[in-house]
Amino acid sequence: MEKFVFFGGKGGVGKTTMSAAYAVKCADAGLDTLVVSTDPAHSTSDVFDQQLGDEPQAVEGRDGLWAMEIDPDEEVEHHLMETKRALGDQVSAALVNEIDRQIEMAHQTPGAYEAALFDRFVDVMRSSGDFDRVVFDTSPTGGTLRLLGLPEFLEGWIDRLRRKREQSIDLYEKAAIGNTEPRRVMDGDPILARLRERKQFFEYAGRMLREHTAFFLVVNPDELSVRETRRAAEGLADRGLAVRGLAVNRLTPSPDDDEHGRGARYLRDRVATERAHLRTLREEFDQPVVAEIETRVEEVRGDFLTEVAAELDIETAPPADPPTPD
Amino acid sequence: MSEDGDHGGDEPTLSDRIDGFLAALREWAAGLYHGLVTHPAYEKIEKAAEDAEDTFMLACFPDAFGIPSPVSYYTAELLPYLESEFEAWERRMWDRGSMLERKGEQYHF
């Protein structure tokens, strides 16, 4: 199994439960495991009954298990401050205001939040050398797909920017043939250096996602969830990221045969519908169903996590070739 | 002898005068050549460089013109290093009535 494992799916299907349970399973198998929540509505803290923060924190009462919750807002703020500091170092006081406004604006565009989240989770991947496995509990499908689609898109974009920049510097150098200093020179151009750095960052992210990451989709046995799962699986495949398996959560338990009350009839109908959806998932999807978890009356936490973990048919063996940090 | 000496002091010899004339001519020719040929050529190349830079800047900061960009978060970190470019770019962009006007600037009638 790869070093990085992602759990995705529609909102409210139980991604957090599944990823926490899988992390527990890995930790119990003797792997140093980190669970990372990238969902803006964090609930990992609730599952482990412990307040988590932006740095990996040992989960109390469980050996080899750490957890953290990424806060994109904080990352946006941090990035804003970094950029402004560079601005103070570089730019004359007269121009700071003008450029400052532009920087503020860039941090309020709709993409900023996603970009920050992306930066953060690539950071986590980069600095995860101490862990054998990192489990990502992602935000609902739409956001995740956009997020995972970023590296390729951004690599292309950065490449085009770099070419434009080189072209203009090249022309400036040509215009200065003779006696004058060119207005810009290729050597040591800070913009090109930055763009190159960014490109490496995206390349790293893309490589990790394609070669060292396994994706699982959590699905509930209902029409909407099945449909969304189909779209998500296709969307990920389009980006060259294959889904490894489907974890079915919230299956309704069937009543005993001798029960014939209203509740039993309801349950029987419900179970029949779910069976149909389960069949669809088994027959029409290329991915195997790796877990069938029944609905539980209590919240899944504590010992229940271990119970759910036992029902997950996902291997825990450490990766044969762990990714090398660059 | 004395007449020659006097003349030698006041008036340059013929070869000196020719040299002086040639020097002036060379300066004029260089000036004319620079004005007519090299300067417009360099100016054109420099304008092309500015145009390429404008495209770069527009790709980096379309939101300066109200076009939302998913990458402005990343390009914002370039801004501190683009100080002079940024201002010149904004000025050029607001100034640029039409492509024709911009291309026409290099002809000095």
Side-chain angles (χ1 to χ4, degrees):
Chain A
M1 182 61 100
E2 280 77 358
K3 175 165 180 173
F4 305 112
V5 179
F6 277 71
F7 283 88
K10 195 170 160 296
V13 290
K15 291 182 294 295
T16 305
T17 308
M18 289 295 190
S19 35
Y22 179 65
V24 164
K25 193 181 166 88
C26 290
D28 286 350
L31 300 178
D32 282 339
T33 306
L34 172 67
V35 199
V36 186
S37 167
T38 64
D39 191 331
H42 292 298
S43 41
T44 313
S45 287
D46 304 333
V47 171
F48 292 121
D49 228 341
Q50 174 184 340
Q51 194 50 51
L52 298 166
D54 203 50
E55 291 293 321
Q57 220 175 318
V59 175
E60 286 157 27
R62 294 204 182 261
D63 284 340
L65 187 61
W66 283 263
M68 66 187 284
E69 293 180 337
I70 289 178
D71 182 356
D73 285 329
E74 207 170 286
E75 176 64 20
V76 172
E77 191 62 25
H78 179 71
H79 188 261
L80 181 66
M81 284 303 144
E82 281 284 290
T83 313
K84 281 193 173 175
R85 223 196 34 234
L87 189 70
D89 294 345
Q90 295 283 332
V91 177
S92 63
L95 255 171
V96 162
N97 281 343
E98 184 62 26
I99 295 179
D100 206 47
R101 209 163 347 118
Q102 181 66 29
I103 291 178
E104 291 270 355
M105 193 151 63
H107 285 80
Q108 274 161 29
T109 51
Y113 181 86
E114 268 152 342
L117 192 54
F118 181 79
D119 276 8
R120 249 337 247 131
F121 92 74
V122 176
D123 264 356
V124 171
M125 283 180 157
R126 255 188 175 161
S127 55
S128 65
D130 296 341
F131 298 101
D132 300 311
R133 172 135 312 136
V134 183
V135 182
F136 288 93
D137 167 19
T138 65
S139 49
T141 322
T144 311
L145 279 182
R146 268 207 306 279
L147 203 62
L148 300 178
L150 280 177
E152 222 170 306
F153 167 72
L154 290 175
E155 250 183 78
W157 183 275
I158 293 282
D159 236 7
R160 279 198 296 280
L161 281 184
R162 196 171 46 95
R163 274 203 296 277
K164 275 279 157 235
R165 179 76 182 168
E166 278 169 358
Q167 190 193 349
S168 83
I169 294 182
D170 184 50
L171 284 166
Y172 275 125
E173 283 182 344
K174 285 190 176 122
I177 290 172
N179 45 11
T180 44
E181 263 306 271
R183 270 161 68 182
R184 322 228 184 290
V185 283
M186 201 77 82
D187 277 343
D189 183 56
I191 302 298
L192 282 176
R194 286 250 145 189
L195 290 174
R196 225 168 278 138
E197 210 175 280
R198 264 295 171 202
K199 190 173 151 69
Q200 275 164 11
F201 181 84
F202 295 132
E203 270 170 359
Y204 172 82
R207 196 171 68 244
M208 289 301 129
L209 286 174
R210 280 187 298 269
E211 294 168 17
H212 299 286
T213 307
F215 293 92
F216 291 93
L217 290 175
V218 182
V219 53
N220 286 167
D222 61 58
E223 186 76 35
L224 289 180
S225 181
V226 170
R227 281 193 194 180
E228 172 130 357
T229 304
R230 196 190 305 269
R231 277 196 298 272
E234 282 166 6
L236 283 166
D238 285 348
R239 292 169 169 83
L241 310 167
V243 173
R244 197 63 63 78
L246 308 171
V248 187
N249 190 23
R250 297 227 169 101
L251 284 162
T252 309
S254 28
D256 290 338
D257 285 340
D258 58 344
E259 286 178 279
H260 294 286
R262 195 162 160 236
R265 280 204 306 280
Y266 168 82
L267 284 183
R268 234 169 246 128
D269 283 353
R270 185 78 220 138
V271 168
T273 333
E274 289 181 2
R275 280 282 134 75
H277 289 305
L278 204 53
R279 209 174 313 122
T280 313
L281 286 170
R282 283 223 184 84
E283 288 165 8
E284 293 178 19
F285 282 72
D286 301 333
Q287 298 83 11
V289 172
V290 291
E292 290 176 30
I293 315 284
E294 273 192 3
T295 299
R296 280 164 168 72
V297 180
E298 287 116 305
E299 294 298 315
V300 177
R301 55 169 68 157
D303 288 341
F304 278 106
L305 267 181
T306 322
E307 238 175 75
V308 173
E311 290 175 48
L312 280 176
D313 183 22
I314 306 177
E315 58 161 329
T316 53
D321 55 335
T324 44
D326 56 1
Chain B
M1 174 73 199
S2 66
E3 219 181 80
D4 269 342
D6 278 339
H7 276 283
D10 294 333
E11 232 168 77
T13 59
L14 183 62
S15 70
D16 279 348
R17 280 165 57 200
I18 290 172
D19 280 351
F21 177 71
L22 280 179
L25 189 67
R26 217 174 282 126
E27 200 186 317
W28 267 84
L32 203 63
Y33 181 72
H34 179 70
L36 281 174
V37 182
T38 52
H39 181 67
Y42 290 152
E43 199 179 60
K44 258 186 208 162
I45 297 174
E46 194 149 288
K47 281 261 152 60
E50 279 178 0
D51 283 350
E53 188 171 284
D54 290 351
T55 323
F56 169 81
M57 298 292 276
L58 186 60
C60 279
F61 312 108
D63 42 347
F65 294 88
I67 306 162
S69 154
V71 295
S72 25
Y73 181 80
Y74 291 115
T75 51
E77 62 193 35
L78 303 177
L79 270 168
Y81 308 92
L82 283 170
E83 174 189 12
S84 52
E85 280 105 317
F86 191 74
E87 205 204 18
W89 170 64
E90 274 198 324
R91 209 174 41 237
R92 282 202 297 271
M93 290 312 267
W94 296 125
D95 251 13
R96 190 173 287 188
S98 69
M99 205 57 201
L100 197 65
E101 197 181 312
R102 164 92 182 148
K103 289 288 172 207
E105 269 176 33
Q106 49 201 290
Y107 301 102
H108 308 278
F109 295 111

